Amino acid sequence: MSLKIALAQINFLVGNIAANVDNIIKAASYARDELSADIVVFPELTITGYPAEDLLFRADFISAANNAVYQIAECIDDIAVVVGFPERDGNSLYNSAVVLHQGSILACYRKQMLPNYGVFDEQRYFSAGTQPCVFEFNGVFIGLTICEDVWKSGIIDETKHAGAELLLTLNASPFNAGKIHQREAIICEQVKAAKIPLIYVNQVGGQDELIFDGASFVANSQGDIVFRAEEFKEQISVIEFDGNNPLINSCAPLYNKITSEYKALVLGIKDYVRKNGFQGAILGLSGGIDSALVLALAVDALGHDKVEAVLMPSRFTQDMSNEDAITQAEILKVKYHTIPITPAVNAFTDMLTEVFVGTTKDATEENIQARCRGVILMALSNKRGKLLLTTGNKSEMSVGYATLYGDMAGGFAPIKDVPKLLVYELARYRNSLYEVIPERVITRPPSAELAPDQIDTDSLPPYEILDPILERYVEMDQSAEEIMAAGFRYDDVVRAINLVDKNEYKRRQSPPGIRITSRAFGRDRRYPITSGYRGI
Amino acid sequence: MSLKIALAQINFLVGNIAANVDNIIKAASYARDELSADIVVFPELTITGYPAEDLLFRADFISAANNAVYQIAECIDDIAVVVGFPERDGNSLYNSAVVLHQGSILACYRKQMLPNYGVFDEQRYFSAGTQPCVFEFNGVFIGLTICEDVWKSGIIDETKHAGAELLLTLNASPFNAGKIHQREAIICEQVKAAKIPLIYVNQVGGQDELIFDGASFVANSQGDIVFRAEEFKEQISVIEFDGNNPLINSCAPLYNKITSEYKALVLGIKDYVRKNGFQGAILGLSGGIDSALVLALAVDALGHDKVEAVLMPSRFTQDMSNEDAITQAEILKVKYHTIPITPAVNAFTDMLTEVFVGTTKDATEENIQARCRGVILMALSNKRGKLLLTTGNKSEMSVGYATLYGDMAGGFAPIKDVPKLLVYELARYRNSLYEVIPERVITRPPSAELAPDQIDTDSLPPYEILDPILERYVEMDQSAEEIMAAGFRYDDVVRAINLVDKNEYKRRQSPPGIRITSRAFGRDRRYPITSGYRGI
C-alpha cells in the first residue's frame, strides 16, 4: 500500500490564529491538489505559532485555537491534516497534535515530554500527556509524537509497542549553530534503535529572539536521512511510502556553519520587520565592523530601498570612518544622511557645566555622545516608522561595553548573540560572495571613537582572548578556575568576569536580538540583577 | 517536654553565599544565646537567597552552597539549625531543607511541590522530592516542608502520617497586595484540617522585582495564628512549645492595604539601592504626581541626603509645575537642580531640519524632549554613581504612554506596577502621615507637558475608566467581551486594549520595578513582542 505524506514547513505568525488557519488550509489544499498527498503534517502548535508564551493563559485565545481545529476539519476534505494546537480539557492545557480527516478527528495526541530548560517554559503552560497515540490510515499504523518526545528513546519505544509502523513528529525546534547536526544525529540514533521510520516537520521563521530553521526531514528505519527540506525557507514537500518504507526522495544539502549563521541572521531581521509591520529599518553607520555587518545583513534581508543609514560623526571620528561608511552605503545603494552630533553634545555640555563643577571627565562624557546619537536615530525611527537596528555584538553585551539608551537604543539587535570574532568571520563570509564591506573596516583595530585615539583594547583584553573567556563563562557556566586551567591569564579572566557580573542591568534593558549560539542573553540566561555572586 | 523554636526572618542577598552564611551563623548564635532557642528555622534556600535564577546552573555556585552547609554545621553547636539550600545529588538538584545539629546532619527534606507559574520557575532548576521528612528532636516528632508544599493538603497529610506532631515550613513567598491574607487563610485551613501546628518562616527584603514581606507566623493545630512577626522587617523571634502545642506569644498586627503597599515600595527602593551598591538615587521632578510620589518614597527609603532631584522645564512646562516641584524638594530637604532642556531640544531640532523636511509634527518631537531629559538624568546618574529612578506608573506602562530612553530611562522603576489611581491613593496616604506632596500636585489634571495645554485625557480614557479596564485585560486576562459585559464602553475598551497589545516592545526594554499586584509586567506576564494576537 502506498502512502504520500506531505511535510508543510511553514512560517507562522505567533498569536494570529485566523491567519495561521488560512495558511494551514492553503497549504493542505496545495498538498492535496498539487502533490497528491494523502496526509499533510504541520509543525508543533501550528494554530497558535510557537512560542505563544503567556497568550496561552488567555481563555479567549485558547477558545479560538480550539475552535480553529473544527474550522480546519470542516474546510478540508480528501486529505488527512495533522496540526498542533493547545488543547483545553477542563482546567488543563495540553500541547497536542490532532489528525483531521473527512470532517472529523481521527486521533489526538498529547505531548508527554515538556521541555522546561534553556529557552523553553512548557511546564509553565501545559500538563503532560500520559499515553502514546497510534492511528490507522490506509492500512498503515501511524504514531504521533511532538518535538522533545523523540529526543530520547522512551516515547518512541512506547509508541512502537502500541503498534506504530511509522512516526510523525511535529516540531518547533529553534536554530543555533550546529543544532541541526545535533538534532539529526540524536533523533536518527533513536530511530535506528527503534527500527521505525520517522517524519520530522519543523517550523521555519523568526520569532523575537528565536529562529526556527526548518530542515524538516525523513529518516528510514535504519536511521538514514532520505529526505531533507531546505533550511530557513518555507517548503511543502511530499515523500512516498511503500507501506511504511520511505522511497528515497532528495536531501537538500546542509549549509556550513558560517553560511547558516548568516542566513539565520538575515531571516531574523526580515521576519522581525515584516511581522511587526515596520516600513523598513534604519541604523547608525559608524565606519566600524559591527554596523557594517548589520547594514549588509539588513540589505540582504529587506532590500536596499528599505534601509536607511545615518552617519553621526563627532570630533573623535576619524575621516576614514566616514569615508568607509559612505563607501559601503554607496556599494549597497542605501540612502544615507550625515548628521554631526557636535551641536547637541555642546548643548548638553553647557547645560551640565554647573552641576558638574569640580568633577573630572569620565565615561559620563562618552555616554553623552552615544546618547545624542541614540536621540537622533530614534527621532528618525519614530518619524519614518522604520525599525532602529542596534549594532552591538555579544562581546560588548557581555562586558557592558556599550551605552544604555545610546548605541544600545533600538528595537532589535541583530548581532547581539554574535561574538566579535564571529562578526569578523561573518563580514568576510559576506564579502566572499561579493565585496560590500570595505576591506579597511575589517582590518583596522576596532574603536568606539568616543575619546581621542581610543581603541577597544584600552578597556578590554584583545578579542582573541576575550571571546573564548566569555564563551566559557557565559555560555558554558565555567568557573574562573576552569577557565584559567584552560590556559587563560588570571588578569584577563578577572577583568572579563567582573565586567560580565556587573553589567546584567544593561543587558536587561537591551533590545531583543537573534539567538544563534546555544546560550544567548535573554530567555536562555536568566540572571538576577541584584546579585552578590562574583565569579572571581 | 518544652521546646523553644526561633523564627529567623532575615534579609539575604541573592548569590552572596559567604555573606549569607555569616548571617545565618550570627542569627543562630543570637537565637541560642539571647532567646534560649533549641531550634532556629530560616527561610527557603537560605544559603543562596531566593530566587537565584540561572546562578543555579553554575557548578561552582552549587558546590559553594553545598559546602556552606557543612561550614554552618561545624560553626554552630547547641542549637539545631534548619536552613534551605540547593542540594546536589548526582545530576539532580533539589530545593532542600536540612537540619544541622552538633556538627552533623539530622535530617534533610527535598521540596515536593515545585511552583512553575507566575513569577516562579522552579521546574527549570529542581527535581521534585518524593518523600516526607520527619525527625525527632527532644522527644518531639517534627516534619519539614517548604513553601508550596503547604498550600495544598497532600504533603501536610503525608508528613503527619509519617509521624509529625509539628511542621516547620521554610518559605520565600513574595508580596502582593492582599497576599498575606490569602497566604494565612489558605495555610491555616490546611493546618486546621490536618490538626497539626505549623511554623512558617518567610524571607524578607527586596530582590529585583520581588518584595518578600516576612510576616512569619505560627499556627496552632486549630488553625489559629498565635504568633506573627512584623511585615517588611528583619526579626528573630522565639515561640515556646509545650510538647507540640504553641504557647500563645504575640501577633504583630497586619497593615492595611495601602500601608502595606507603601511599605513594600519603600523596602524595594531601599534594598535595590543598598544591595546594588549605589551612592543614592536621583530622579526627574516634574511637578506631576508620579515623580512626586517617587520622590517621597525615595526619601522615606534612603533619607533626604541620599536623594537628588532635577527639574527640567521646557516651554510647555507650566509655572505651577516648577513651583510645586521646588516646594516638595524643599519640604523634603532634598538637593535639587534646575536644568532647562530648551538648548538641547533646539540643537536636535536644527540638526534634524534637513532630514525632516516635508514632514509634519507628531510624537517624534515630543519624544525628543523626553529623551533630552533622559540624557541629562543619565549623565547625572553616571557622574554621581546614583541610581536613576524612573517615575512611570503601571497605567502608562500598559498603554505605552511613555518615551523609551526618555522618561523610561533609569535603573529602577519603583511605581511601575502601581496603576495611576493607586498613585493618587498612595500620595494621599503619604500626606496623611504629614504633608510632603503639595496639594495642587494631587488635584490638578495629569499632563505629560510635551505639547501646548496637553493633558493625559487627550490621548487616553480617564484613569477612572482606563485603570479598571487595564486590570481586567492585563492582570485578569479577560477578553474584550467580558470587559464590555462588566459595563465598559466599546470605544474605551478598544482604545485601551489596542495600546496594550502594541506596546510590548516598550515594556521589554523598561527597567525592573517593584511588583505589588498579583500580576506585574516582567517575569509575571511573559508576552511575545512579535505577535498577531489582537484582544479586539
Side-chain angles (χ1 to χ4, degrees), chain B residues 108-152:
Chain B
C108 185
Y109 170 71
R110 293 168 171 177
K111 187 177 185 178
Q112 298 185 71
M113 305 298 283
L114 299 173
N116 206 65
Y117 56 82
V119 300
F120 302 108
D121 287 295
E122 292 198 18
Q123 292 170 29
R124 181 174 172 85
Y125 308 107
F126 299 112
S127 301
T130 54
Q131 294 173 49
C133 172
V134 178
F135 65 99
E136 187 185 348
F137 191 84
N138 284 9
V140 181
F141 288 86
I142 302 175
L144 289 178
T145 51
I146 301 175
C147 210
E148 191 83 359
D149 285 335
V150 298
W151 285 67
K152 288 191 177 158

Side-chain angles (χ1 to χ4, degrees), chain B residues 398-464:
Chain B
S398 302
V399 296
Y401 196 68
T403 300
L404 258 178
Y405 325 133
D407 50 312
M408 285 178 66
F412 199 57
I415 61 170
K416 181 184 179 183
D417 196 36
V418 182
K420 188 80 174 189
L421 296 179
L422 185 55
V423 170
Y424 285 103
E425 268 189 76
L426 286 163
R428 285 196 200 93
Y429 161 77
R430 181 61 188 83
N431 271 1
S432 75
L433 307 179
Y434 56 95
E435 188 169 306
V436 296
I437 299 171
E439 184 61 20
R440 191 165 59 178
V441 173
I442 300 179
T443 52
R444 63 184 285 208
S447 165
E449 296 195 327
L450 293 168
D453 302 321
Q454 184 181 42
I455 55 172
D456 290 10
T457 45
D458 296 344
S459 320
L460 302 173
Y463 290 109
E464 289 73 15

Side-chain angles (χ1 to χ4, degrees), chain B residues 382-513:
Chain B
N382 289 166
K383 194 63 101 185
R384 307 269 208 257
K386 288 183 176 170
L387 173 67
L388 173 56
L389 296 174
T390 313
T391 61
N393 61 60
K394 188 174 195 174
S395 309
E396 291 174 0
M397 275 299 96
S398 302
V399 296
Y401 196 68
T403 300
L404 258 178
Y405 325 133
D407 50 312
M408 285 178 66
F412 199 57
I415 61 170
K416 181 184 179 183
D417 196 36
V418 182
K420 188 80 174 189
L421 296 179
L422 185 55
V423 170
Y424 285 103
E425 268 189 76
L426 286 163
R428 285 196 200 93
Y429 161 77
R430 181 61 188 83
N431 271 1
S432 75
L433 307 179
Y434 56 95
E435 188 169 306
V436 296
I437 299 171
E439 184 61 20
R440 191 165 59 178
V441 173
I442 300 179
T443 52
R444 63 184 285 208
S447 165
E449 296 195 327
L450 293 168
D453 302 321
Q454 184 181 42
I455 55 172
D456 290 10
T457 45
D458 296 344
S459 320
L460 302 173
Y463 290 109
E464 289 73 15
I465 291 168
L466 180 63
D467 276 3
I469 294 176
L470 294 174
E471 185 183 10
R472 287 168 184 273
Y473 188 67
V474 171
E475 292 177 35
M476 299 161 75
D477 281 336
Q478 286 190 3
S479 67
E481 289 69 31
E482 289 173 284
I483 299 171
M484 286 185 283
F488 294 92
R489 285 176 49 226
Y490 176 80
D491 288 354
D492 292 330
V493 174
V494 169
R495 191 143 65 133
I497 287 184
N498 279 338
L499 289 169
V500 174
D501 287 346
K502 74 180 193 193
N503 279 294
E504 183 58 29
Y505 76 102
K506 283 193 192 177
R507 289 189 287 269
R508 198 66 72 88
Q509 290 190 46
S510 65

Side-chain angles (χ1 to χ4, degrees), chain A residues 24-42:
Chain A
I24 291 165
I25 291 170
K26 263 184 224 150
S29 307
Y30 172 85
R32 179 191 59 198
D33 302 338
E34 306 297 326
L35 305 178
S36 309
D38 303 297
I39 305 179
V40 56
V41 186
F42 287 89

